[in-house]
Structures are given as C-alpha cells and as structure tokens.
C-alpha cells in the first residue's frame, strides 16, 4: 500500500524511502525525515517514477479533514480558512452550501487546495489566484513558519512562487476571500461546469489532466491538444500509456502503464511538435524521479 501508484490519479509510481500520510501522522518531526521531503496532494498533476524515490513523500490529502472555517464577513467578502489537504470538489460543494461563489471551477479538478495554490489551478475562467488571500505553512529548510499574502505569490498561468523552490515549503492552510451568492445560482454554475467538462475530459481513465500548457502565440494561444492532433499522435500508444482519443492533451493509463512508457510518449510528442511545427512544448505536469532520463 506504500506504493505511490495508490496516491496519484495516473496510477503510476513506486515506493518512497519514507512515506508519511498526514491523516495518520498529523505532526511529523520534519527535521528528522529523510531528505528531500516532497509534498504530495492528490497526485493529480505529478508523474512519479515507478522505481521509487529517495527521501520522504508526505501525503496531505485527507478526506477526514474538518470543513473550512468562516473567519470574518465584511464588505470585501467572506474570509474562509481551509486546510491544504482538502479535496477541491469537496471545497467547491461546501462553498455552494454556504452561498459563496469563487470556487466553482474546482468541481472538475481532482486535486487538493495545496496543489491548486502551487500550480495556480484554474478552469472555466476562474483561477486559484482569484480567491486566495494568504497562505501559511512551514519552510522545510529552516523549520520556520511562513505566511504570505496573495501579492507575494508571483502568480501567472499555472504558476506560483512555490514553483521556484519545489520541496522547500509545506502549505498547511489557505485563506480565501469569497463572495456571497445564492446557493442555487452557485449550484447552477457548478452543474454547467460539470456538463461542459464531461464532454471534453477522459475522466474514466487514470490521467494527470493536461500534460502540456498552452503556448503564447501573439495575442492568441496555441492549444497543445490541437498541436498533438495535427502531428498525428491522437490515440497513439506506447505500452499502456496512450494519448487520449477524447482529448489529445491527456495521456491516459489504459492498464499497467509504466513510468518509462509515459516519458517515452511525452518525448515523442515534444520531438514531433518541434520537428513538424517548430514549437517547443511546455510541460504542465510535474515529474518526480531520481534518474536523469527526463
Ligand atoms: C482529470 C483531471 C482533470 C484536471 N483538470 C484540471 C483543470 O481543469 N485545471 C487545472 O488547473 N488542473 C487540472 N488538473 C490537474 C490537477 O488536478 C491540478 O493541477 C491540481 O491543482 C493538482 O493538485 P494536487 O493536490 O493533485 O497536486 P499534486 O499533483 O499532488 O502536487 C502538485 C504540486 O503541488 C505541490 N503541493 C501539493 N500540495 C502541497 C502542499 N500542501 N504544500 C506544498 N506543496 C504542495 C507538490 O509538491 C507538487 O509540486 C486535472 C487533473 C486531472 C487528473
């Protein structure tokens, strides 16, 4: 059960030297854990090597966490604090029940709040940065607590300050500023998002969501799914890793995909798009390996 394949949505990954689940060990002695320490939310954006990893993987996702707390209501909005390990669709439904808007995009994003902050996750015109007020946690290098407000977080598309120094910070909780809205209207937005996503997302098979980010093209974008289709790789399979035939920017695990299969498929896409289109793809997913093969 310690295999990390059980802790990612791609169902790929081996054993770490040390595995800590915060739901079982809520107060680890950080200084004593084997290094590096990697923090894993729901593993929905992270491809993990199946030969295993040195150091510690700390899993934050916990379905037993308490509901978020409402700290204050003012003319600016409703100030909410949530644990980083909360599952995004659960947080989204909670906000709807409270009559709060701002998190409807989370319904189709199978990650945790910590992962959403790190990657500035977004969908349907909303992003994490739109609602995050502040983030608290621990600097794992110094052992000191930190608290940063939104303007310190260096947000951009699928990026935050945490991307500069992976493995350095554990985000413990996130403060959000949400706006009041009738629950029925929030629910309607959630259902609309779900309906839209169901037709475009291969939810039935294990994946990591979009593998590549869109690429700037003047004041427009190149969309990776379209590029992958144009170079003829939609549906292409290496071992049990396959470019989804629902959405070509997803790689799905159609059986027992190995880490190396997924890497080979990613590299094939990158090489073909570069040689046929002259474009360098940018990876949205993160890759955890101690090998120098990526
Ligand atoms: C079917 C599917 C659909 C998806 N749709 C979308 C979408 O529409 N939009 C979108 O933006 N993404 C989407 N994703 C990708 C993914 O769900 C998001 O990026 C999500 O925010 C990742 O959260 P996670 O908890 O799974 O992160 P993980 O993959 O576990 O971790 C991602 C990064 O965050 C760090 N991290 C996680 N938690 C913490 C913490 N508490 N403290 C410090 N660092 C932490 C990790 O170290 C890692 O660097 C999709 C994925 C799937 C499988």
């Amino acid at each position: 059960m310690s295999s990390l394949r059980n802790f990612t949505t791609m169902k790929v990954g081996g054993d770490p030297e040390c595995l800590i689940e915060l739901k079982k060990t809520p107060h680890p002695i950080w200084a004593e854990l084997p290094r590096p320490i990697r923090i894993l939310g729901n593993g929905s954006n992270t491809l993990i090597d199946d030969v295993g990893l040195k150091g510690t993987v700390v899993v934050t996702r916990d379905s037993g966490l308490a509901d978020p707390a409402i700290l204050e209501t003012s003319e600016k909005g409703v100030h909410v604090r949530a644990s980083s390990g909360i599952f995004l669709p659960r947080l989204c439904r909670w906000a709807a029940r409270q009559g709060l808007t701002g998190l409807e995009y989370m319904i189709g994003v199978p990650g945790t709040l910590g992962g959403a902050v790190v990657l500035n996750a977004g969908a349907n015109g909303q992003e994490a940065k739109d609602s995050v007020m502040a983030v608290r946690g621990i600097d794992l290098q110094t052992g000191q607590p930190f608290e940063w407000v939104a303007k310190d977080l260096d947000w951009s598309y699928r990026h935050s300050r945490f991307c500069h120094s992976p493995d350095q910070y554990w985000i413990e909780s996130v403060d959000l500023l949400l706006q009041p809205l009738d629950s029925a209207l929030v629910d309607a937005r959630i259902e609309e998002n779900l309906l839209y996503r169901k037709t475009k997302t291969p939810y039935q098979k294990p994946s990591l969501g979009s593998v590549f980010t869109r690429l700037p093209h003047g004041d427009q974008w190149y969309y990776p799914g379209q590029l992958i289709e144009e170079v003829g790789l939609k549906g292409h399979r290496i071992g049990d890793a396959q470019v989804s035939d629902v959405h070509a920017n997803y790689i799905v695990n159609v059986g027992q995909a190995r880490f190396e299969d997924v890497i080979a498929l990613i590299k094939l896409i990158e090489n073909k798009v570069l040689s046929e289109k002259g474009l360098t793809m940018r990876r949205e997913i993160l890759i955890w390996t101690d090998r120098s093969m990526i």
Side-chain angles (χ1 to χ4, degrees), residues 15-30:
D15 295 340
E17 184 184 343
C18 172
L19 178 76
I20 301 281
E21 287 182 76
L22 286 184
K23 69 176 176 188
K24 296 181 185 161
T25 311
H27 305 292
I29 302 173
W30 297 99

Side-chain angles (χ1 to χ4, degrees), residues 218-258:
D219 55 0
Q220 308 274 305
W221 298 98
Y222 287 114
Y223 289 94
Q226 193 181 338
L227 295 171
I228 295 166
E229 273 195 71
E230 285 172 8
V231 300
L233 288 176
K234 191 171 188 177
H236 191 85
R237 183 168 166 174
I238 296 181
D240 276 348
Q242 184 176 29
V243 177
S244 166
D245 44 25
V246 177
H247 191 318
N249 196 22
Y250 281 60
I251 292 179
V252 291
N253 182 351
V254 295
Q256 301 294 321
R258 296 174 320 141

Side-chain angles (χ1 to χ4, degrees), residues 31-150:
E32 291 180 2
L33 299 176
R35 304 275 157 155
I37 301 174
R38 295 173 165 110
I39 309 287
L40 192 66
N42 195 41
S44 65
N45 205 58
T46 307
L47 176 66
I48 301 180
D49 197 339
D50 42 25
V51 302
L53 293 174
K54 289 192 195 117
T56 306
V57 173
V58 175
V59 176
T60 67
R61 179 171 171 200
D62 179 359
S63 55
L65 286 168
D67 275 344
I70 295 180
L71 300 184
E72 191 187 12
T73 302
S74 70
E75 73 282 358
K76 287 189 192 151
V78 180
H79 178 177
V80 165
R81 180 166 298 161
S83 297
S84 67
I86 196 165
F87 191 48
L88 296 171
R90 176 183 161 199
L91 179 56
C92 168
R93 293 283 187 198
W94 174 86
R97 284 198 303 278
Q98 309 306 311
L100 296 173
T101 181
L103 306 181
E104 293 87 330
Y105 74 95
M106 291 181 172
I107 195 66
V109 185
T112 62
L113 182 57
V117 169
V118 170
L119 294 156
N120 187 21
N124 310 97
Q126 292 174 322
E127 284 181 308
K129 75 173 175 56
D130 301 335
S131 53
V132 171
M133 280 176 82
V135 177
R136 295 146 180 267
I138 292 181
D139 179 333
L140 301 174
Q141 274 174 18
T142 63
Q144 295 302 309
F146 70 85
E147 179 174 356
W148 289 323
V149 294

